[in-house]
Amino acid sequence: MQVVILKDALEVANYGAKLFCQQLQIKPNSVLGLATGSTPVALYKEITSLYKQQKISFAQASSFNLDEYLGLSGDHPQSYRYFMNEQLFDHIDINKSHTHVPNGNAINPIAACQDYELAIRQAGGIDLQLLGIGRNGHIGFNEPSSSLSSRTRIKTLTQATIDDNARFFADDEYQPELSITMGIGTILESRKVMLLATGAAKAEAIKNMIEGPLSASCPASALQLHNDAVIVIDEQAATLLEHQQFYKQIEAQNQKLQQKLADLPR
Ligand code: PGA
């Protein structure tokens, strides 16, 4: 795992946006894995700004989102399809018909999960998967005890996740307790993953993911198995890491190496 510790949430968003730029420069028709939640909002703002400055284009790209609430249609304001349109897709040049979010309103949700896996495969697999992390260590809606080789499926949300997400719903509003989520096995097949986390509330999950054992108790720890995972966090989310200084040292060496490579004669 490459662990990048930055000063604050803004630096985390800017770093993430830079990685998206690099990805689309190398491969303009990249298949992007996208995430919802509070954390990516600043990243999507920065990406939108880079698009307006013509520094990034999604014209040839396609996307697959991690998850969706089961029972909400895409035009429901709390659905993740709605979130993605509002936060990103409506502001950039991506072809909306090339954006995919699991269908929370499918007549046969089990078949919809299988279709989602197939669509990812037919697109050639995900090049760069963006992730957040729940306070309980979930990625997507893969709650603790999820199989580390799970595929897209229906998952029951833990009470902790329901409580964490209650802030997005009005008091008397229906809040789903089920979701459709890419599995951990699906996520691990992405060629590169980038997990963003900010704030002290994420410190314990970050510690468990990076320095804890590989365990379904912390689904994000499965990223220890990925050969190209970058974890981008702010100082607050890093506070419980035992080897903070070492990660910073590695990153400084990485930067030096990148500079050396950039200076090579072409
Ligand atoms: P958050 O959610 O960005 O709203 O903290 C992250 C997640 O639950 O994956």
Side-chain angles (χ1 to χ4, degrees):
M1 280 174 163
Q2 181 191 355
V3 181
V4 181
I5 303 171
L6 300 170
K7 192 171 82 203
D8 54 26
L10 187 63
E11 283 194 5
V12 168
N14 292 347
Y15 187 104
K18 221 161 74 191
L19 218 103
F20 270 91
C21 275
Q22 281 168 5
Q23 177 64 42
L24 288 164
Q25 266 158 16
I26 297 166
K27 187 178 175 190
N29 61 346
S30 288
V31 180
L32 304 170
L34 298 176
T36 53
S38 312
T39 313
V41 170
L43 166 73
Y44 293 153
K45 267 212 178 82
E46 178 61 15
I47 286 179
T48 301
S49 152
L50 291 172
Y51 165 69
K52 289 195 169 134
Q53 298 166 52
Q54 299 184 338
K55 290 186 176 156
I56 190 169
S57 169
F58 295 80
Q60 297 179 53
S62 56
S63 71
F64 287 87
N65 261 77
L66 282 168
D67 47 18
E68 178 59 284
Y69 287 116
L70 190 62
L72 297 192
S73 64
D75 55 3
H76 190 290
Q78 305 306 340
S79 74
Y80 285 167
R81 159 56 75 182
Y82 192 94
F83 173 100
M84 288 309 299
N85 288 346
E86 289 252 295
Q87 298 293 332
L88 186 66
F89 299 151
D90 286 346
H91 311 292
I92 59 172
D93 60 346
I94 199 160
N95 180 338
K96 274 233 186 106
S97 68
H98 296 165
T99 66
H100 305 85
V101 180
N103 182 359
N105 226 9
I107 294 168
N108 181 342
I110 293 176
C113 294
Q114 288 162 356
D115 290 348
Y116 205 66
E117 286 281 331
L118 187 65
I120 293 172
R121 266 204 304 282
Q122 283 173 342
I126 292 169
D127 292 301
L128 172 61
Q129 175 67 57
L130 173 67
L131 297 170
I133 185 170
R135 286 192 303 147
N136 63 3
H138 74 199
I139 46 176
F141 273 137
N142 294 286
E143 301 285 32
S145 81
S146 288
S147 156
L148 299 186
S149 60
S150 48
R151 313 302 307 191
T152 302
R153 68 211 184 290
I154 297 168
K155 273 303 281 185
T156 302
L157 305 181
T158 59
Q159 194 56 46
T161 295
I162 293 169
D163 292 348
D164 274 350
N165 289 353
R167 67 189 191 278
F168 299 112
F169 292 82
D171 283 348
D172 54 353
E173 197 174 8
Y174 164 68
Q175 186 182 352
E177 295 177 0
L178 296 176
S179 67
I180 293 182
T181 181
M182 274 187 207
I184 297 175
T186 322
I187 292 168
L188 288 178
E189 278 175 10
S190 308
R191 292 180 189 91
K192 184 177 184 76
V193 300
M194 171 171 64
L195 184 145
L196 306 185
T198 59
K202 299 291 171 68
E204 196 180 339
I206 290 295
K207 159 93 182 149
N208 292 337
M209 167 177 66
I210 298 172
E211 296 177 343
L214 174 65
S215 164
S217 300
C218 176
S221 68
L223 298 182
Q224 294 173 16
L225 292 170
H226 199 285
N227 68 359
D228 194 359
V230 53
I231 313 299
V232 191
I233 55 180
D234 68 354
E235 292 281 357
Q236 286 192 335
T239 43
L240 297 179
L241 288 174
E242 197 181 324
H243 305 296
Q244 260 190 72
Q245 284 318 313
F246 182 51
Y247 307 135
K248 288 182 179 174
Q249 248 172 288
I250 296 172
E251 199 42 32
Q253 295 294 349
N254 272 344
Q255 299 289 339
K256 270 192 211 162
L257 184 63
Q258 291 304 325
Q259 194 52 52
K260 254 192 193 158
L261 292 175
D263 292 344
L264 282 179
R266 278 155 210 268

